Amino acid sequence: MPRSGRGSSGTIHTMSERVIPLVDQRHPSLPLPPLSAGHDLSALPLDGLRRPLTDLRISVTDRCNFRCSYCMPKEVFDKDYAYLPHSHLLSFEEITRIARQFVAHGVQKIRLTGGEPLLRKNIEVLIAQLAALRTPEGQALDITLTTNGSLLARKAQALKEAGLQRITVSLDGLDDVIFRQMNDVDFPVQDVLGGIEAAQAAGLSHIKVNMVVKRGTNDHEILPMARHFQGSGVTLRFIEYMDVGATNGWRMDEVLPSAQVISRIQAAMPLVPLAAAAAGETAQRWGYADARGQYDPQLGEVGVISSVSQAFCRDCNRARLSTEGQLYLCLFAVQGHDLRSLLREGASDADIASAIGLIWQQREDRYSELRGLNQLPATEPGKKRVEMSYIGG
Ligand code: SAM
Ligand code: SF4
Ligand code: SF4
């Protein structure tokens, strides 16, 4: 029996009768603000909800060698899928030039992502360029990268030498059968674990492992994962399965709320709540407790990212730069602002900085909060949320 079939109305019906719309997520850009007014860089911009701009996520490729069903389902991202041509991608020099203007506006942390960022050729060259940037106060940036880990064993040393300090590896379970099913390309779990070890050996610090929890698919892997990483120096974080993009066929009944993740771990391994390490942190932290019920730093911690059950939009200080240079203000956005055309039409650094500042000042996004309040506006016909593999996670 075929695994999926294309419907007549631009949809795909999978075996479980999940209906996945066939869409091109790339819509015309939003207009850029008029630049003639200029923008005062002496005051860092706050958005419409008074949130500063401190984090930038940069997607360096829309391609990936995995086909996680919650992100790039095979039925949509098949051999006919139109990925961006190379000329559409921002070059490393373009990325660094735009990043410099974000840093002037208060960005202190940059996360490289994708698609699979380690597929981008010579990614370490970009890391070295970004590592050379300084904040207006002369501080180096906090540079990190999220990867599926498949190429990490090969790349870890070069990434570290280029100036990468931290890394996050996505891993949805330890059971090889489940893991191969979830990446949907039959990739073995042992190779990702080898990548994590290589990252530790290369001296990358604060290594995090992200596990997307899908109820009924890999929630039985929560405890084995917690046991495996306890005391390893690696921080495991559980992410609620999100309704990003328009292709993963998301259903609320497949979301396991973080509170349940914590209570399942608590039942076997005592945890105590920890304070947030930084403002705007997405994860709630829990420390493993010793026999006296006190946090034991040797045992380490876990985190939960509760984007569905407990929105954290009020502290959201993140901007996203897509692979082709579109600035997105929210993970659930439909349209972005085309910074690449500004760049390629000869805009000055001051113009780019001005555009970024003005766009940020107009930002009002709070999708998850509105979802929680049941107040999401209806999506305009023909407009779909951008895919995570394009915008970056
Ligand atoms: N390919 C890299 C990876 O998997 O780490 C980087 C890009 S991926 C889009 C970034 C993160 O988004 C990963 O940790 C992934 O697990 C997470 N992610 C993707 N789709 C998701 C979804 N529907 N819900 C929650 N997290 C998701
Ligand atoms: Fe690829 Fe990462 Fe998306 Fe999985 S989550 S398909 S590894 S981009
Ligand atoms: Fe930020 Fe949008 Fe996520 Fe809210 S929904 S936390 S605004 S990215």
Side-chain angles (χ1 to χ4, degrees):
M1 201 204 293
R3 193 170 160 195
S4 65
R6 293 200 174 199
S8 54
S9 57
T11 58
I12 283 177
H13 296 265
T14 66
M15 263 171 65
S16 56
E17 268 316 299
R18 178 173 305 226
V19 179
I20 297 174
L22 272 176
V23 288
D24 182 344
Q25 71 273 23
R26 300 181 286 261
H27 305 301
S29 315
L30 291 163
L32 290 165
L35 299 178
S36 51
H39 182 73
D40 178 12
L41 268 184
S42 58
L44 296 178
L46 294 176
D47 74 4
L49 302 176
R50 306 204 56 73
R51 297 168 293 190
L53 169 54
T54 60
D55 263 45
L56 177 64
R57 299 194 174 191
I58 303 174
S59 174
V60 293
T61 176
D62 60 340
R63 292 164 195 256
C64 187
N65 54 344
F66 282 13
R67 285 293 176 274
C68 311
S69 62
Y70 52 70
C71 177
M72 295 180 79
K74 243 180 190 167
E75 297 84 357
V76 176
F77 295 87
D78 59 11
K79 64 177 181 25
D80 298 325
Y81 186 80
Y83 294 98
L84 295 169
H86 195 73
S87 62
H88 284 219
L89 270 54
L90 290 183
S91 68
F92 290 167
E93 287 65 32
E94 287 173 326
I95 292 176
T96 305
R97 188 168 166 218
I98 293 181
R100 189 178 291 117
Q101 308 318 316
F102 274 97
V103 172
H105 276 309
V107 162
Q108 296 159 3
K109 180 172 166 188
I110 293 182
R111 178 177 295 276
L112 298 179
T113 175
E116 173 45 45
L118 298 188
L119 287 181
R120 180 86 187 248
K121 211 169 155 203
N122 300 326
I123 183 76
E124 54 279 12
V125 172
L126 174 64
I127 290 170
Q129 289 178 10
L130 295 174
L133 296 179
R134 292 291 175 270
T135 67
E137 297 76 37
Q139 301 294 314
L141 302 177
D142 177 4
I143 299 176
T144 184
L145 177 148
T146 306
T147 172
N148 62 24
S150 58
L151 301 171
L152 192 52
R154 251 179 275 168
K155 286 273 197 176
Q157 192 64 42
L159 296 173
K160 171 70 183 168
E161 282 167 13
L164 192 73
Q165 291 123 11
R166 310 194 287 118
I167 200 156
T168 301
V169 181
S170 304
L171 176 64
D172 296 333
L174 288 174
D175 180 317
D176 197 44
V177 174
I178 297 293
F179 184 67
R180 284 175 194 255
Q181 270 169 17
M182 288 192 76
N183 63 56
D184 215 5
V185 293
D186 209 25
F187 195 87
V189 73
Q190 208 49 48
D191 289 16
V192 178
L193 294 173
I196 296 170
E197 278 167 27
Q200 285 180 304
L204 288 162
S205 57
H206 300 103
I207 299 175
K208 291 180 185 147
V209 164
N210 277 356
M211 170 176 172
V212 175
V213 180
K214 261 181 108 174
R215 192 201 290 266
T217 301
N218 66 338
D219 55 322
H220 58 286
E221 285 291 293
I222 292 171
L223 268 183
M225 287 280 283
R227 287 205 177 94
H228 182 86
F229 288 109
Q230 189 191 44
S232 68
V234 170
T235 300
L236 174 61
R237 304 188 313 172
F238 300 93
I239 308 182
E240 286 178 352
Y241 170 39
M242 289 186 285
D243 48 337
V244 279
T247 60
N248 64 10
W250 183 86
R251 293 198 320 241
M252 189 58 152
D253 62 2
E254 289 181 318
V255 179
L256 185 75
S258 295
Q260 291 187 40
V261 173
I262 292 301
S263 60
R264 284 193 199 184
I265 300 174
Q266 280 269 27
M269 307 154 86
L271 293 170
V272 287
L274 299 177
E281 193 174 42
T282 50
Q284 290 165 307
R285 301 168 60 211
W286 292 80
Y288 288 111
D290 60 18
R292 290 169 303 141
Q294 308 280 319
Y295 169 51
D296 179 352
Q298 298 293 324
L299 294 176
E301 59 182 86
V302 289
V304 284
I305 301 179
S306 320
S307 352
V308 179
S309 66
Q310 218 180 332
F312 38 78
C313 299
R314 288 292 152 158
D315 292 323
C316 183
N317 44 21
R318 291 176 293 284
R320 291 179 156 84
L321 186 64
S322 81
T323 316
E324 55 179 346
Q326 298 266 338
L327 168 58
Y328 285 88
L329 301 176
C330 177
L331 188 52
F332 297 89
V334 171
Q335 284 172 291
H337 302 261
D338 187 2
L339 296 186
R340 187 192 62 190
S341 67
L342 202 61
L343 207 74
R344 293 190 181 172
E345 283 161 15
S348 66
D349 284 354
D351 283 345
I352 298 165
S354 181
I356 292 169
L358 292 167
I359 292 167
W360 188 260
Q361 283 175 337
Q362 287 161 20
R363 175 183 189 240
E364 299 264 340
D365 301 64
R366 53 187 186 113
Y367 176 94
S368 291
E369 190 179 313
L370 293 176
R371 183 213 303 106
L373 296 167
N374 259 333
Q375 288 178 8
L376 283 179
T379 321
E380 285 175 51
K383 289 194 173 172
K384 296 279 188 243
R385 289 192 296 272
V386 72
E387 292 300 319
M388 203 159 175
S389 53
Y390 165 77
I391 197 179

